[in-house]
């Protein structure tokens, strides 16, 4: 059954790191928003913190099958729920380095410049840090870019075991600093510093994700309508061939058509590209916003390796995600190419290892994780046009050839040596496969040249003036830090641009709204 629905000012598709902040900002600026979310709310329940349910059974992840470059089936790391992947992220929200916005030569190729500088995004970084209630102390990181204001909350602090490792790292001449994390740990907050944060949904609402910090407050304004369980089939184009005049949605057993003045895709780098492809017309046979064959291309994640540094001493730490260092981010003496970031993981548990290695005995996994210090090595994945998302006969294909591996291997070797030197005789490593999709980005890139980008610097489609794409797909490069804060900062920047340019509403520097307010 086909139905039409009332027209809001803006339709936003997706409620994660991009859609969440954008929806809240638009609502607080007085605009009426319809939010379409493919999934529903993740229930707060005991299973949230059950390792077997989350990692082995993957209770909260949809059962999807995609195909890799060789045509082999794989199950992606994807989540469809209110708050998107932020419900499961490790809470790290870190700024890109200033150099990440510039063209940087890597050992295996060029990381191109962004269409604006770090200085342009800097005020919005500050807004996003306050929006997500981030804890940290960036003054301890010599590679932290300049900032106009400090984080809203002080660092959460490391537990004694990790604090001792920090001292050893400093003795080696390194510069460890507190990870900036989005948790509700201030007095009266809900965070309990549990061992089930990184990769888990929070059973008590102590994780500052896009649902708790953006969607729930946005709904309280009375200007946001949320359709959960809404699958977007396609965007519909007006007779002029350029203007998006409606979105076609499967919701509550019906196919509904919703019109609006502005449409924003925030469905994630893969699914935003897929929606554009499914919306192909005679004028845009390869998909909307794709007149120059950009959509789906330049797919990136990160080059990622996890390390378990094992000693004879047990590690009683619960909340381990508190430490990082960037000493090799831009290279090292004798090696002028960027290498990447090093940060702690959430404390690994035996069930996590068994879930990923079915022949590993539980007793061995338990012995290892009781004595392990767990870290993540992150290097940049360079944007290559041949690395892409495709839709073939209704099947999702992720065709990726790994790149920039030399610097990643060098960083792994360097860190492994450091871990040996500070008292860990056994270091186990696992490099994550290229079809690990949790850090997906880059498929609808922004730029200054319509021939080489799909979006302008405000994430507006060059082809469709009332269409914006605001999620990790806009990123021209992946950098070597967690992307959530950058996505949120750009979402706030775009939301204020939409309100100002399309509706004549200006956000004052002190946070109040100037100009026309909408009922």
């Amino acid at each position: 059954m086909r139905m039409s629905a009332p027209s809001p000012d803006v339709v936003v598709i997706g409620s994660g790191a991009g859609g969440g902040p954008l929806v809240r900002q638009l609502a607080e600026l007085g605009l009426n928003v319809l939010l379409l979310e493919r999934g529903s709310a993740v229930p707060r329940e005991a299973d949230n913190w059950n390792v077997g349910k989350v990692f082995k059974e993957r209770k909260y992840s949809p059962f999807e099958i995609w195909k890799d470059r060789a045509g082999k089936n794989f199950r992606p790391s994807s989540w469809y729920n209110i708050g998107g992947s932020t419900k499961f992220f490790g809470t790290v929200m870190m700024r890109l380095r200033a150099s990440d916005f510039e063209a940087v030569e890597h050992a295996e190729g060029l990381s191109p410049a962004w269409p604006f500088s770090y200085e342009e995004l800097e005020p919005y970084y500050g807004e996003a840090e306050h929006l997500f209630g981030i804890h940290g102390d960036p003054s301890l990181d010599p590679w932290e870019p300049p900032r106009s204001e400090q984080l809203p909350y002080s660092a959460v602090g490391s537990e004694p075991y990790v604090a001792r490792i920090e001292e050893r790292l400093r003795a080696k001449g390194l510069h460890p600093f507190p990870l900036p994390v989005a948790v509700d740990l201030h007095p009266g907050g809900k965070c309990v510093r549990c061992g089930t944060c990184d990769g888990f949904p929070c059973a008590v609402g102590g994780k500052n994700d896009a649902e708790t910090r953006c969607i729930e407050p946005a709904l309280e304004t009375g200007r946001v309508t949320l359709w959960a369980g809404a699958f977007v089939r396609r965007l519909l184009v007006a007779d002029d061939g350029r203007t998006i005049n409606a979105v076609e949605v499967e919701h509550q057993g019906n196919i509904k058509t919703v019109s609006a003045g502005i449409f924003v895709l925030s469905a994630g780098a893969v699914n935003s590209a897929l929606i554009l492809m499914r919306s192909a017309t005679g004028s845009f046979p390869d998909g909307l916003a794709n007149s120059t064959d950009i959509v789906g291309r330049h797919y990136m994640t990160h080059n990622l390796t996890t390390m378990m540094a094992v000693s004879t001493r047990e590690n009683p730490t619960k909340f381990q995600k508190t430490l990082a260092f960037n000493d090799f981010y831009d290279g090292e003496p004798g090696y002028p190419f960027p290498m990447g970031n090093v940060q702690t993981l959430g404390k690994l548990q035996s069930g996590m290892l068994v879930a990923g290695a079915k022949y590993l005995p539980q007793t061995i996994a338990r012995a290892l994780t009781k004595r392990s210090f767990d870290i993540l090595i992150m290097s940049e994945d360079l944007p290559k046009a041949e690395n892409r998302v495709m839709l073939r006969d209704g099947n999702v294909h992720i065709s990726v050839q790994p790149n920039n591996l030399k610097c990643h291997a060098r960083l792994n070797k360097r860190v492994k040596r450091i871990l040996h030197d500070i008292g860990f005789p056994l270091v186990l490593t696992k490099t994550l496969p290229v079809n690990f999709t949790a850090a997906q980005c880059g498929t609808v890139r922004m730029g200054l040249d319509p021939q080489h980008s799909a979006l302008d610097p405000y994430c507006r489609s060059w082809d469709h003036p009332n269409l914006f794409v605001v999620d990790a797909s806009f990123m021209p490069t992946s950098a070597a830090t967690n992307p959530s804060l950058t996505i949120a900062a750009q979402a706030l920047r775009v939301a204020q641009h939409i309100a100002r340019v399309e509706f004549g509403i200006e956000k004052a520097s002190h946070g109040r709204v100037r100009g026309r307010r909408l009922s």
Side-chain angles (χ1 to χ4, degrees), residues 82 123-125 233 240 469 504:
I82 299 170
Y124 303 97
Y125 269 134
R233 293 160 57 111
D240 64 7
V469 184

Side-chain angles (χ1 to χ4, degrees), residues 54-72:
V54 174
F55 284 87
K56 187 174 183 179
E57 297 181 21
R58 299 179 67 176
K59 175 178 180 177
Y60 303 105
S61 180
F63 188 83
E64 290 187 302
I65 298 298
W66 295 353
K67 294 183 180 293
D68 66 12
R69 186 169 180 264
K72 292 180 60 177

Side-chain angles (χ1 to χ4, degrees), residues 220-300:
E220 291 174 1
T221 68
R223 300 189 187 95
V224 175
T225 300
L226 170 63
W227 286 4
F231 176 75
V232 172
R233 293 160 57 111
R234 58 178 177 157
L235 300 170
L236 303 176
V237 182
D239 292 339
D240 64 7
R242 298 191 68 225
T243 305
I244 309 300
N245 65 356
V247 57
E248 189 176 88
V249 189
E250 294 179 14
H251 183 237
Q252 296 178 337
N254 297 305
I255 299 174
K256 302 177 181 179
T257 302
V258 182
S259 299
I262 298 293
F263 294 85
V264 182
L265 269 179
S266 298
V270 171
N271 279 290
S272 284
L274 294 175
I275 290 171
L276 293 172
M277 293 174 191
R278 290 200 301 267
S279 304
T281 67
S283 300
F284 294 89
D286 298 319
L288 299 185
N290 201 24
S291 61
T292 53
D293 192 26
I294 295 294
V295 172
R297 294 189 180 273
H298 308 100
Y299 173 86
M300 298 168 285

